[in-house]
Each structure stands twice: as structure tokens, then as C-alpha cells.
Amino acid sequence: MQTSGRSGKGPAVPAISFLLLYLAVSIAHATVSATSHPREAHPTPQIQETGFLNRTIEVQGITYRFQVYIPEDFHRAEPDRTADKKNDKKSNGTSGKESEPAPPIILFLHGRGERGSEGMWQTQIGLPQQLRDHPERWPFIVVMPQCPLRHFWTDPDMLQMAMASLDQEAREFHADPDRTYLTGLSLGGYGAWELARNFPHRWAAIAIAASGVFWSYAPDRWREVATLPAEYARHLGRTPIWLFHGAEDTTVVPRQSELMFEAIKAENGHVRLWDYQGLHHDCWTRAFNEPELPRWLLSHRLSQVPQLPPLAERITIPLHPPALKLPTAILDTYVGEYRDSYNVLVATIQRQGEQVFLRNAQGDVNEIMAESTSTFFYPSGSLTRLTFEHDAQGRVTGIQVRDDRHEELWEKKK
């Protein structure tokens, strides 16, 4: 006899299937939920890019490309939450993690030859060059806007763009407003002087190379030579300023820096002027390569400017140290051929009378002069030094070559 669907063991199979299906869906949903929304998950910390980074900014409807430099060991500072930290300490009894200090920041304005719109040419010379050569000296965020062709940094819209670039990067990287610095060279120095006058309470210190307030494209400004430098000096107050100029500069004459030095001195300001003997317009390579410059910047804070004493320091930097006259018997010990670590001939030392010459692998001959009994320099002003090394018996074994970036040993051919 056939039974109906409502009797016997027939209904047990679909009931069990339904229960298994329900459990499978529930488990799958729980797995997806746990994967999509993990409980007490810790977000992966974002790694900050460092080095030279591309940036853009829009000012008055125009987009400008520029660069910002972030030091390799940069740690992003967080906004000050002192009150929150105190509450946290009271609640949990722990000292909490100290926040990273706000980093110092520099606004750098390039020269006339680096103008453009690609956003990168301004990173080739001056301070950006030193960021590559000596990153260990410059623990700063550096903002490098670019002035377009047919414009000058002294144009009001260019000054606005430069400040907007600085403000944008200062906000993004939580830069220290107490350690905000201004630098510029040549045309960029013209712009730096304008920003120094227009925003005198923004800068903890200022460094300007090969520039002034009498623009080469506005010769009529020289008619105000009796009043214009003093006008800038009055706005600056005690803001510390370091000026650099080449004594042989015919593009922006040294008198420009001299006039500003005297004007700031008359106003009891805080100013240094270094005159480089023998250097022409490009004194900025030497200036930004001064190891003291980044230390000098960091020694100043905006909050301390009003307490700075008056200072007017002017120093003449010789092209090279005074040369010693060595006996020819000593000079003769240096004569010979010198090879690098690959046994390639790289230098030949020759003597002519009391003069010593070095011929390099390309055949170029240059005089070298004695700074000491064993160390020689190039009279061109190069930072390279050649130190002759000796063995225990006093025989010359090689030349230790040192420049601003590296050193190597040239062995004397026996």
C-alpha cells in the first residue's frame, strides 16, 4: 500500500538537507564577514616616499609643477595632541609613545637658467645639488617651485605661487613653523628678498647667494639706491641673513650684497656676508657646499629672532690657501707615475724648477701647489686635495686623493 507524503519516514530527508544548507550558508557568511571586517585589525603603516618627489599646485586657475625633497630618514610628525596624551596617560597609567618632532622646512628659489614648466630643471644646481651630494648634512624638507619662462620670481603671481607651494607641503608633512627657512640664488635671490620683505615674520633664517634688490631687468631701481636697501632692512628686523657673493661677479655685481649688508648693519640687524675671492657669478656651488650653512640654519628658530643680538660679520674667503715653497729635494720625491686600483695610469707628477705639475690620464696638465709638506691643492680653487703618503723608510708610496665627495688611493709605480 502506497503511503502519502505526510506519513512514514519520507519527510526526514528534505528536513536534514535544509538544515545542512542553512548551516553552510551561515558559515560562509561568517567567513566572508570576518575576512571583510576583521576584528581588532591593525592597519599596515603607509611607507613614506623619500627623495625628490613630483608635486603640482593650482594658483589662480594655473597648474604648476614643482619638486619637494623628503630626507631618507623622514618620519611624519603628527599634529600636536598634548591634551589627548595627558588624558591617555591618566587613564592607562602609561607614558605613551612620544610623537615625532615636526621637521624643518626650506623654500628654495632657483636662478634664471632653471626656469621652465616641466617641474624638475630647478633641482640641478645650488641647494638641490647638495641634497644629492651630502644628504647627511640636510635633514630638511625642501620645497623647490619652478618659475616659468618669460616670468621672474619678483612677479606678484610667482611670489604667490612660491608661498602656496611652501604652505601646501608644510601642511602635508606637518613641518615646523618655528623652523621655516628661505634660500635663493641669483634670480631666485631677487625673489627671496621680496619674500623676506613681504613676510618678515615667517622665516627663522635666510640665505641668499649672488643676488640683491636691484633687478637686472629693472635698471631704474638703481635710482633708489639711497633708500631701497634701507627699506628692506627695516622690514627684516633681527631675522638672521647670510649673504654669499663672488668677488669677480659681473652678472650681479658684489655691490648688491654690500649695500644690503650695510643697510642691515645700520638697522642693527643680524647679517653675515662672505665674499669669495676669485669666484664669478656661480658662487652658489661653494656657498651651499659650506658644511656650516645647514648647521647655521638649524641654530635659528623663528620664536628666538626677537632676542637675537645685532650682528654684522663680513669675511673674505680666499680662493685657495697660501702656498708653501718646498725644497726641490722634497719635490723630486713626488715625481713619478701613479696608478689606480685597476693598475691604470691616472697621474704623472712632474717638476719644472720650483713648480709641480700633474698630468692626468687625458693628457691635461695642471699646476699643483703645496699646502703643507705633503698635501697639495689646485690653484683654480678646487676642493680636491692630493696628499702624498710615505712608508716607514720615508719613501713615497702613493697619493691619497680627496675631494668633497670621495677619496681614493693612487699608488706610485715602482
Side-chain angles (χ1 to χ4, degrees), residues 193 196 203-208 232-243 260-273 292 296-297 299-301 304-314:
W193 278 117
W203 319 109
I206 301 170
I208 298 176
Y232 284 79
R234 282 193 295 270
H235 281 83
L236 290 172
R238 292 284 170 80
T239 302
I241 298 193
W242 194 347
L243 307 177
M260 293 310 303
F261 174 82
E262 293 298 334
I264 297 171
K265 178 182 177 181
E267 291 291 329
N268 291 317
H270 197 96
V271 61
R272 310 173 78 181
L273 171 58
E292 184 183 349
W296 177 84
L297 291 172
S299 70
H300 296 291
R301 292 177 175 267
Q304 299 170 348
V305 167
Q307 289 77 44
L308 284 176
L311 174 70
E313 173 193 274
R314 183 173 182 178

Side-chain angles (χ1 to χ4, degrees), residues 111-167:
R112 186 169 188 156
E114 293 73 57
R115 292 180 298 176
S117 57
E118 83 294 328
M120 294 186 291
W121 193 247
Q122 74 276 24
T123 67
Q124 303 302 308
I125 65 171
L127 174 54
Q129 177 184 345
Q130 292 305 313
L131 298 177
R132 293 185 172 93
D133 290 350
H134 293 288
E136 75 284 355
R137 294 180 185 172
W138 296 91
F140 303 80
I141 296 170
V142 182
V143 180
M144 296 159 280
Q146 186 181 32
C147 181
L149 291 169
R150 297 183 297 279
H151 288 270
F152 303 104
W153 278 124
T154 53
D155 297 345
D157 54 342
M158 294 297 99
L159 297 174
Q160 181 184 6
M161 179 268 286
M163 292 301 294
S165 302
L166 173 65
D167 291 340

